[in-house]
Amino acid sequence: MNILDITGLRVWYDKIEAIHCVDLKFEEGKITAIIGSNGAGKTTIINAISGMVKRDGQLFYKGKLLTDKSHKVVREGIIQVPEGRRVFAGLTTEENLLLGAYSLENRKEISGLLQQQYALFPRLEERKKQDAGTLSGGEQQMLAIARGLMAKPQVLMLDEPSLGLAPIITNDVFNKITTIREQGITVILVEQNAKKSLSICDHAYVIENGHVVMEGSGDELLHNEKVAHAYLSTTVDEIE
Amino acid sequence: MALQLTINGISIGAIYALIAVGFAVVFNIMRFSNFAHGGMISACAFISFFFQRAFDPPPPFFVTVLFSAVCGMGIALLIDTLGYRRIRLKNSPKIYYFLMSLTFAILIEQILTVFFGTDIYGFPSVFKSQTFEIGSMIFKTMNIVILAVSVVILVALVWMINKTKIGLAIRAVAINADTSRLMGINSSVIVTVIFIIAGVLAGVSGVFLGVQYGVFPSVGPSMMLKGFIASIIGGLGSLSGAIFAALALGLIEMFLTFFIGATEATVILFGIMLAFLFIRPQGIMGIIVEDKA
Ligand SMILES: Nc1ncnc2c1ncn2[C@@H]1O[C@H](COP(=O)(O)OP(=O)(O)OP(=O)(O)O)[C@@H](O)[C@H]1O
Ligand SMILES: [Mg+2]
């Protein structure tokens, strides 16, 4: 079943149309990857879902029209982990996590949720009193993901979670993403690292200049000659 | 003598702190200098003056303070609704906020001047005994009351900002408004809370200034400069820095006034502000906040 169903999505920045009538479907409990080169419109798409930019088109969430107010989108359980982590520097790690749970009505859940995140990312517990701005890049990325999970998301949108991370940490982050899917959370994964994201995703869209130019299962796209050429900077043979 | 000067200085500093914090909370969240704050203070000084005189016997002082705080809140929300909200909705450049706040400041001062002239209205005496003695020292009752009320308000505010859920949200918006929206924080709620806080602070400082200096249309704008200095020295963006700087400013002013005179004291205070801008533009504790107007 599609938890999120988007038809005819358009986004403008001033007079320039950045997303041109795009249709996207996201299946519940699955990882859907969105790949594409710089400036293709990936971030714009998830910002449109989050209500962070003005948009046109029909967005159905669980069969109902989705609000365009950013704070209400969060309340619906659609959570974005933004590009470049954007942790709150000047607040502690734990305060950042508490902000992730801002939208939860039941404040009693919070200590349990904190424990869950600390179990998933033990490094964060060691550093819970540290200024988030002084965490390393990898730690900040983990914090950003954990902060997203604090909201008890039903849909978690991750914008380039591997950006600027060393290969080992990237692997770690991708492992966590599959763990998140195992918890039943629908994941929308925007990535430059096409190879890794295609290998863990269930379905993927390729975006170019604000259009969907290709879609298919992760495996299909991973073995597609055009994708390999454009996004994997390899040929299919090398992947084999 | 030194102790009395100190108490008086801290008491004046406490009013500056109320002003500085009222100024700083708006700056932190909205990223503009809200000069309308001075106009709000003058308006509240007049409101509390007439409120206090309207009853015989006059109401207890704390009722007047409370009434003025509520009116300050109303004026702040009105200014936001009439002025700032439009700018926000249109996403206009920060300079428009600045111009709008100056316009409101001048407008309020001129309206008050039209109705009441530029005379100084003396606040009716509030307490039966103006002074009290401890040992050989004489204290002004009002100074102690102002100090106590200000401390309570500032402690409550700092507690709220540092320990509550809404306070955490306010700090998050001050750090990054867009990322805060991704946390599910409704920015218009936060802005409303900010103007409520600023309005209450303007209301309370309006009464105190009226009591200490008399009531006249430019009482707010002229005293707001001191609060402004304090928030710059404290570091625009840091509440505790602003409070600390305001108390120090009150003390320095009191001693300078005593030893060399009021006019000279003001000149030296502005000198200190200039020095701070040269040596340490980020203030005592603050960080440099970009894109301000
Ligand atoms: N705030 C903005 N104002 C104007 N144009 C914008 C804005 N944000 C994005 N754009 C433009 O919209 C297009 C899509 O940008 P977007 O950030 O969605 O790309 P992206 O696919 O996320 O790229 P990257 O992989 O580099 O993050 C780009 O041409 C970009 O310049
Ligand atoms: Mg992007």
Side-chain angles (χ1 to χ4, degrees), chain B residues 226 252-272:
Chain B
K226 307 265 175 61
I252 295 171
E253 184 181 5
M254 191 51 73
F255 277 91
L256 286 177
T257 307
F258 184 77
F259 289 112
I260 62 172
T263 321
E264 292 83 349
T266 310
V267 172
I268 294 182
L269 289 184
F270 276 93
I272 294 176

Side-chain angles (χ1 to χ4, degrees), chain A residues 13-14 18 36-45 83 159-160 190 192:
Chain A
Y13 290 114
D14 293 318
S37 49
N38 289 117
K42 307 179 295 294
T43 300
T44 304
I45 289 175
E83 189 171 6
D159 196 351
E160 309 215 13
V190 167
Q192 295 271 340

Side-chain angles (χ1 to χ4, degrees), chain A residues 50-52 70-71 74-75 80 82 86 88-89 91 95 98-100 102-104 107 147, chain B residues 162 165-166 168-169 171-173 175-176 178-187 189-190:
Chain A
S50 280
M52 296 296 286
S70 56
H71 61 277
V74 171
R75 214 142 281 173
Q80 180 186 149
R86 303 230 236 124
F88 293 99
L91 303 183
E95 283 173 329
L98 292 175
L99 279 166
Y102 181 81
S103 61
L104 297 185
R107 308 305 289 171
R147 185 180 63 183
Chain B
N162 287 324
K165 181 186 168 193
I166 187 90
L168 182 58
R171 283 184 289 153
V173 174
I175 295 168
N176 190 323
D178 274 341
T179 312
S180 306
R181 290 172 63 195
L182 293 177
M183 304 296 111
I185 295 169
N186 182 348
S187 49
V189 169
I190 300 296

Side-chain angles (χ1 to χ4, degrees), chain B residues 44-66:
Chain B
C44 291
F46 273 97
I47 288 170
S48 54
F49 171 75
F50 286 111
F51 182 78
Q52 183 83 11
R53 281 208 332 191
F55 302 95
D56 191 33
F61 189 53
F62 80 90
V63 175
T64 307
V65 173
L66 208 65

Side-chain angles (χ1 to χ4, degrees), chain B residues 139-160:
Chain B
F139 296 102
K140 283 194 182 148
T141 315
M142 187 50 85
N143 281 347
I144 305 294
V145 169
I146 287 177
L147 187 55
V149 173
S150 306
V151 166
V152 168
I153 290 175
L154 292 172
V155 166
L157 188 65
V158 169
W159 176 83
M160 178 199 150

